[in-house]
Amino acid sequence: MKKRAIYTYILLLLDMAVAFGSVFFSKWIEIKLPFFYLPDPLITLKAVTFMVITVFCYYFQDFYDWKWWKRHSELVSTVLIGGGMSLIILSLVYYIIPQIGLGRSIFLMSLFLSMGFSLIVRVVFLAIRSSRITDTRIVLLGDGRNAKFLVDEIRSAGRAIRFEGYIGKENINIDIPWLGEVDELWNIIRGTDPDKLVVAFDDRGADLPLHDLLRIKLTSCEIEDAPKFYEELLGKLMIEDIRPASLIFAKGFVSMKSEDIFKRLFDFSFALIGSVIASPIMIITAIAVKLDSPGPVFYRQERTGLNGREFNVLKFRSMCIDAEPEGPQWAQEKDPRVTKVGRIIRKTRFDELPQFFNVLAGDMSFVGPRPERRYFIDQLQQVIPFYEMRLYAKPGITGWAQINYPYGDSVEDAKEKMKYDLYYLKYRSLWLDIAILFQTIKVALKARGAQ
């Protein structure tokens, strides 16, 4: 299991234990009786309710994703907002179901204990991370384009990785220490004792020091090739180093009829439920769009779906009419064509709600690569490897790329999103879809990644 996931689970379990225990502790403080005698038959149910809702609010406030609380000021605001959400939601739950409610003093004490512990734990965690003693120590075997690319990508992503250096010919373009030549591999690994050796040769046909690699794997550290390391660490595929054979023989990229049928049932059921639940929001949005600027409420645009089939995607109009007088063009940051209401509904993703009807019609799924226009597909296929693979999956309202990468407005952005789309195609499953849907709700609530 990756260290990142382990730390997330540790934080989650600690929060659950403290939220649950704080209710018992607060009750004990109030009644001043022996801890094993708390005269409340529903105390366990009350503690579970408090724990579930508190941790749920913590999740939506990014308590378990430290890239959003790198500084103490960010951390304090995160804890305060998460606690505020818990206060509001729990108050509503207690009003609706008073039987599971906590007394005011117990409720507030439990909430402050939970918030205080969460803050202290994360301050300690930030201190440990800043000391870098928990970083995974990596040595690269390679001295060319792939080695440089890997270093630059991982550093820009801010992952907990410490590069001890690289082995190969000296290359001033690689911004980590040079450790020596390939024929010194065994002695270098013994001297540095890294957690992992990553093989990042540019030439797949290069002669590998197989004897030394086998001896290192058996006695010293784990060995991975660069694409797999990149994929596991960043959640996307390294298309700069993908060969057709590596896709054909790799695990994943499998579409099973039974799973497709189950996913269609899932999509139809939840699109039907979602369109009913979201109908008040859609009515208010439709009125706001109509009052804000002249033109139709809905915007229909031809997109390319599964196996290249064309269909009309349905959205609330967020741009002024005649926004593309000279033909299709990329969206841009602070796009002047976007209306006032359009900017709001794009940030909250309300403009995408009419796509429930595309899902009901079978043109789209809840989760999948975002559908693109044929005009851009024809361009992007010429410059992005394997771009046509996106057309082998039903497009989605949301996707792995949408929750991991901001709104794109260039070929480079499309290339980055393609890396995430390939990762989704490789590992797609109902469980991954559900995880993406939860993450999408959080992204929409926090208005991230939209233009």
Side-chain angles (χ1 to χ4, degrees):
M1 187 181 292
K2 292 181 284 187
K3 284 186 178 181
R4 186 182 181 86
I6 292 172
Y7 298 148
T8 298
Y9 288 131
I10 290 173
L11 289 173
L12 176 63
L13 290 173
L14 285 173
D15 284 339
M16 290 174 66
V18 170
F20 184 84
S22 64
V23 175
F24 284 87
F25 182 76
S26 301
K27 183 75 173 178
W28 174 64
I29 291 292
E30 184 186 59
I31 64 177
K32 297 181 175 63
L33 288 173
F35 194 77
F36 54 82
Y37 179 69
L38 299 177
D40 186 344
L42 295 178
I43 187 68
T44 301
L45 178 60
K46 292 177 180 180
V48 169
T49 303
F50 179 84
M51 176 193 72
V52 169
I53 293 176
T54 300
V55 172
F56 181 80
C57 292
Y58 287 178
Y59 165 77
F60 275 96
Q61 198 49 41
D62 290 316
F63 270 39
Y64 308 106
D65 192 349
W66 48 84
K67 72 180 178 183
W68 299 111
W69 36 273
K70 294 177 181 177
R71 295 187 294 272
H72 289 118
S73 58
E74 294 172 341
L75 180 56
V76 171
S77 65
T78 297
V79 171
L80 290 175
I81 296 172
M85 286 177 61
S86 302
L87 177 64
I88 293 168
I89 295 176
L90 282 166
S91 298
L92 288 172
V93 171
Y94 295 161
Y95 178 78
I96 297 169
I97 314 174
Q99 294 84 355
I100 63 171
L102 296 170
R104 184 184 302 172
S105 59
I106 296 176
F107 176 32
L108 292 177
M109 190 183 302
S110 301
L111 189 60
F112 286 130
L113 282 172
S114 178
M115 290 170 59
F117 179 82
S118 294
L119 179 60
I120 291 169
V121 166
R122 283 158 177 79
V123 167
V124 172
F125 187 80
L126 279 179
I128 293 172
R129 278 182 56 80
S130 63
S131 70
R132 304 200 68 182
I133 61 175
T134 60
D135 287 0
T136 302
R137 297 169 55 250
I138 299 295
V139 168
L140 288 180
L141 178 57
D143 53 31
R145 183 188 66 254
N146 281 344
K148 181 183 185 316
F149 174 80
L150 205 60
V151 171
D152 294 343
E153 283 277 296
I154 291 171
R155 280 186 170 172
S156 64
R159 295 292 188 259
I161 295 293
R162 185 162 81 238
F163 288 104
E164 298 294 326
Y166 71 97
I167 300 171
K169 296 186 181 303
E170 190 170 5
N171 184 347
I172 60 172
N173 294 317
I174 302 177
D175 190 23
I176 57 175
W178 175 59
L179 302 177
E181 300 279 354
V182 174
D183 56 9
E184 303 173 75
L185 175 62
W186 169 245
N187 290 327
I188 292 171
I189 295 300
R190 281 205 307 171
T192 54
D193 190 27
D195 298 314
K196 188 175 292 188
L197 173 66
V198 177
V199 180
F201 284 124
D202 290 348
D203 182 8
R204 289 289 184 92
D207 290 333
L208 293 174
L210 297 178
H211 178 73
D212 283 345
L213 288 173
L214 183 59
R215 186 158 55 149
I216 289 167
K217 185 176 180 66
L218 292 173
T219 62
S220 297
C221 67
E222 187 180 351
I223 298 177
E224 273 189 3
D225 69 331
K228 184 183 177 185
F229 178 68
Y230 179 90
E231 175 184 322
E232 290 183 349
L233 190 67
L234 301 180
K236 55 184 178 178
L237 265 62
M238 188 174 169
I239 61 177
E240 290 83 359
D241 195 45
I242 288 181
R243 308 291 193 275
S246 63
L247 294 178
I248 293 168
F249 296 110
K251 289 184 178 180
F253 297 107
V254 177
S255 177
M256 298 178 63
K257 272 201 178 305
S258 58
E259 290 184 359
D260 291 342
I261 292 170
F262 195 76
K263 180 168 182 174
R264 177 60 187 146
L265 290 172
F266 174 86
D267 286 338
F268 187 87
S269 301
F270 279 85
L272 192 61
I273 295 169
S275 58
V276 172
I277 294 174
S279 56
I281 298 174
M282 288 198 279
I283 291 170
I284 294 170
T285 303
I287 294 170
V289 170
K290 193 66 179 175
L291 294 176
D292 180 53
S293 62
V297 170
F298 295 106
Y299 177 62
R300 291 175 175 82
Q301 189 178 73
E302 193 172 81
R303 299 288 178 98
T304 304
L306 181 63
N307 296 322
R309 188 175 67 84
E310 306 294 332
F311 71 98
N312 286 315
V313 71
L314 188 64
K315 302 174 72 171
F316 282 118
R317 182 176 57 83
S318 59
M319 289 188 177
C320 58
I321 56 174
D322 300 324
E324 295 181 322
E326 299 177 0
Q329 54 184 288
W330 293 101
Q332 48 191 296
E333 191 174 354
K334 296 180 181 178
D335 201 320
R337 300 171 297 165
V338 178
T339 64
K340 292 178 182 177
V341 168
R343 203 166 298 283
I344 295 171
I345 64 176
R346 281 186 168 209
K347 281 192 172 294
T348 57
R349 301 298 203 278
F350 288 171
D351 63 324
E352 311 281 1
L353 290 177
Q355 289 169 45
F356 282 141
F357 302 114
N358 286 117
V359 175
L360 290 171
D363 294 323
M364 294 178 65
S365 176
F366 261 112
V367 179
R370 283 294 294 161
E372 191 53 83
R373 286 190 270 182
R374 173 58 65 183
Y375 174 85
F376 291 121
I377 289 175
D378 291 340
Q379 289 184 348
L380 295 171
Q381 282 181 331
Q382 307 301 317
V383 293
I384 300 178
F386 309 106
Y387 192 81
E388 68 279 2
M389 287 185 66
R390 299 174 84 256
L391 303 180
Y392 301 144
K394 189 175 287 188
I397 295 177
T398 185
W400 186 244
Q402 277 59 49
I403 64 172
N404 283 289
Y405 196 80
Y407 203 95
D409 57 6
S410 68
V411 172
E412 279 305 309
D413 288 331
K415 183 177 180 181
E416 282 301 306
K417 286 199 169 188
M418 183 61 196
K419 296 178 182 181
Y420 289 108
D421 285 334
L422 281 175
Y423 182 92
Y424 172 76
L425 290 173
K426 184 174 183 178
Y427 295 105
R428 56 182 162 173
S429 67
L430 180 62
W431 299 115
L432 180 56
D433 284 3
I434 291 172
I436 291 170
L437 287 173
F438 268 105
Q439 192 72 9
T440 299
I441 294 170
K442 184 168 71 174
V443 168
L445 287 174
K446 300 175 82 66
R448 287 185 185 141
Q451 285 188 26

